[in-house]
Amino acid sequence: MRQETRAVPLSGPYLDEREEELVLEVLRSGRLSLGPTIDRFEELFAEKVGAPYAAAVSSGTAGLHLLCVSAGIEPGDEVITSPYSFAASANCFIYEGGVPVFADIDRRTFNFDPAAVEAAVTPRTKAIVAVDIYGYPCELDELRAIADKHGLAFVQDSCEAVGAEYKGSTIGSHGPPAVFAFYPNKQMTTGEGGMVTTHSEEEWRLLRSLRNQGRGDEGGWLEHVRLGFNYRIDDVRAGLGIGQLEKLDEILSLRDEVARRYSVLLSDVDGVELPCADDDSHKRSWFVYVVALPDNAARERVIAHFEREGIGYNRYLPSIHLQPYMRERFGFREGLCPVAEDVSSRTLALPFFTALASDAQERVAEALATAL
Ligand SMILES: Cc1ncc(COP(=O)(O)O)c(C=O)c1O
C-alpha cells in the first residue's frame, strides 16, 4: 500500500555531479555570458548532430523565431505548419506577421501528411515549418521536395527530436536549418535554452548577430547593424548543456529502454494505441510517451484515476488552430484539420523520463488498465 501511493511525476531531468562541476567551473571563471563555454557547447552540439554550424539561443522558441527572420517572413506571408504541435511552431512566424496555414497530419506518425502540405500551398506561401513531433522524424525528403518545387523556405522544428535519425543520419545533418530545445522535460536540458543548426556559414553569422541585439562581427558593443533581439544563452547554461551532451548517448539509450518496457506492459491493454514504431527511415528519439485512447471520455476516465493514484499526465497535444487566441485572431474552427483534432481529443502523455523505474511503469500500466 505504501508503495502504491508514491507519486509518479510526468517528467524530470537526468543530472549528476558532472553538471555541477561544469556549472561551478563557469561560475568560478567569471565569464558568465558571451564566453568560451558557449562556443564549446555549440561546437560539441554541431559535431554530435552532424551539422557544420550551431548557434545556441535562449529557448527553442527563440531559435524558431530567428529562423523565421532569416527566412525573410514578412506581414501577410503564409507559412504552413502542423496543427499537432506545441504553440511555438506557429507563434514563431506570427511574430513577424506571418499567417498560419495548418496542414493536417498523418494518423500513424502524428507528423505532417505531405499531401496535405502540397494542397495547402498558395501563391502567398513563403515557408514550411515542419515538426518532428514526439521525437519522430517528419517526412523530410517529401517535404523538402515540396519546398524546393515552390521556392519556399524550410524550417525544421526538431525541438523534441535531439538524436533522432532520418534515413540513417542524425536530425540536423540533412541540410535544412533545425531547432532543438532544452527545457527540463526534454531529452537533454539547460534549464531554458535552445540550439539552431545550419549548413550555411552566412546564416550562422546572421543568427549570432540576431540573437545578440543585431551586433555585427566587427564593431563595438553599442553598434547595431540590424534589428536584433536578446536571445542569448549564458555560459552557466552552456556548461550544463555540455554535461548533458556528454551523457546524451546514455540518456537516449535509457529512454529507449523505458519506452520498450512500456510497450511490453501496455501491449495487452485493450483500447491503448502505442506510439508508432521506428522503420528503416525513421528512428525516434524518445521525448514523451504518448498513447492514443479510444475517445475523449476514456481519456478523462484515465485522468481521473491517475489523479487519485498520484500519477502524472498531460493532454498532449491540443490542436494549435483551436487555441483561444488562434480562433479569435484567425477565425479557425473545428473541422479544419480533422485528423489532428481527432488525435488531440484522445492522446495522453504518460510519465516518461530517463530514470523512470520499472516498478513505477508497472503502476502506470496497471492504473491505465483499471481505468479502461
Ligand atoms: C515542438 C516544439 N516546438 C517548440 C518548442 C519550444 O521550445 P522552448 O520551450 O524551449 O521555447 C517546444 C518545446 O516545448 C516544442 O516541443
Side-chain angles (χ1 to χ4, degrees):
M1 193 63 195
R2 281 187 306 279
Q3 190 81 339
E4 260 123 44
T5 50
R6 265 208 330 259
V8 185
L10 180 63
S11 68
Y14 186 72
L15 306 161
D16 61 27
E17 296 77 13
R18 179 63 179 149
E19 281 81 1
E20 292 174 15
E21 184 183 288
L22 286 160
V23 166
L24 263 180
E25 225 172 77
V26 173
L27 293 178
R28 287 173 180 156
S29 76
R31 298 287 301 276
L32 300 193
S33 195
L34 291 166
T37 311
I38 296 171
D39 298 338
R40 185 81 191 123
F41 182 36
E42 292 175 338
E43 282 161 20
L44 291 170
F45 191 90
E47 196 181 308
K48 189 82 197 159
V49 304
Y53 305 98
V57 285
S58 53
S59 69
T61 306
L64 288 167
H65 184 192
L66 293 190
L67 282 182
C68 291
V69 175
S70 168
I73 289 162
E74 290 178 355
D77 288 340
E78 292 180 0
V79 181
I80 302 171
T81 192
S82 172
Y84 191 74
S85 182
F86 184 67
S89 307
N91 293 347
C92 59
F93 54 82
I94 297 175
Y95 300 145
E96 294 302 307
V99 177
V101 174
F102 292 99
D104 213 346
I105 57 166
D106 178 86
R107 192 170 288 285
R108 191 182 69 86
T109 65
F110 303 165
N111 278 325
F112 260 156
D113 169 1
V117 174
E118 174 73 62
V121 175
T122 78
R124 289 178 302 283
T125 309
K126 181 72 181 256
I128 297 173
V129 176
V131 184
D132 302 313
I133 204 68
Y134 304 151
Y136 196 82
C138 64
E139 303 309 327
L140 195 53
D141 284 352
E142 285 93 325
L143 296 169
R144 283 176 76 188
I146 295 167
D148 289 348
K149 180 174 144 197
H150 298 282
L152 311 176
F154 190 86
V155 169
Q156 200 171 357
D157 178 347
S158 304
C159 285
E160 302 183 352
V162 65
E165 291 175 21
Y166 177 72
K167 298 197 171 166
S169 47
T170 312
I171 297 293
S173 70
H174 299 86
V179 182
F180 301 85
F182 307 134
Y183 185 73
N185 68 340
K186 297 293 191 296
Q187 292 90 328
M188 58 173 278
T189 186
T190 56
E192 296 286 353
M195 190 74 79
V196 186
T197 57
T198 172
H199 288 235
S200 153
E201 183 180 350
E202 195 188 337
E203 183 168 60
W204 179 65
R205 290 192 185 284
L206 176 64
L207 294 167
R208 288 168 65 91
S209 168
L210 286 170
R211 75 176 174 190
N212 189 21
Q213 307 281 20
R215 294 183 174 99
D217 277 343
E218 277 130 45
W221 184 248
L222 293 179
E223 185 175 287
H224 305 273
V225 298
R226 56 178 59 82
L227 175 64
F229 307 86
N230 182 352
Y231 281 170
R232 297 186 303 261
I233 200 166
D234 55 69
D235 287 69
V236 182
R237 287 185 281 166
L240 179 47
I242 290 172
Q244 293 275 278
L245 257 186
E246 286 175 356
K247 52 167 74 73
L248 184 61
D249 291 344
E250 178 198 347
I251 287 176
L252 296 180
S253 102
L254 287 169
R255 294 173 87 92
D256 276 347
E257 277 173 39
V258 176
R260 215 168 305 130
R261 289 202 296 267
Y262 263 142
S263 71
V264 172
L265 288 165
L266 299 175
S267 60
D268 299 334
V269 182
D270 275 348
V272 177
E273 275 171 59
L274 303 185
C276 76
D278 290 352
D279 60 26
D280 289 348
S281 302
H282 307 78
K283 183 176 184 308
R284 188 192 298 268
S285 164
W286 284 96
F287 162 52
V288 282
Y289 199 92
V290 171
V291 295
L293 302 173
D295 52 30
N296 187 45
R299 180 169 72 175
E300 294 309 309
R301 258 197 330 275
V302 170
I303 286 173
H305 191 60
F306 275 16
E307 286 193 344
R308 283 193 296 273
E309 292 282 311
I311 294 172
Y313 67 88
N314 215 334
R315 294 175 184 83
Y316 274 24
L317 274 158
S319 291
I320 300 176
H321 61 288
L322 298 181
Q323 292 288 350
Y325 75 102
M326 285 281 177
R327 289 173 183 264
E328 199 174 304
R329 179 155 170 193
F330 299 103
F332 296 127
R333 293 289 177 265
E334 282 84 358
L336 182 69
C337 297
V339 180
E341 291 165 29
D342 171 53
V343 171
S344 288
S345 72
R346 57 195 183 85
T347 42
L348 183 72
L350 307 182
F352 187 84
F353 47 95
T354 307
L356 182 58
S358 52
D359 58 343
Q361 290 188 270
E362 281 161 25
R363 270 194 61 206
V364 174
E366 253 175 58
L368 199 50
T370 307
L372 287 172

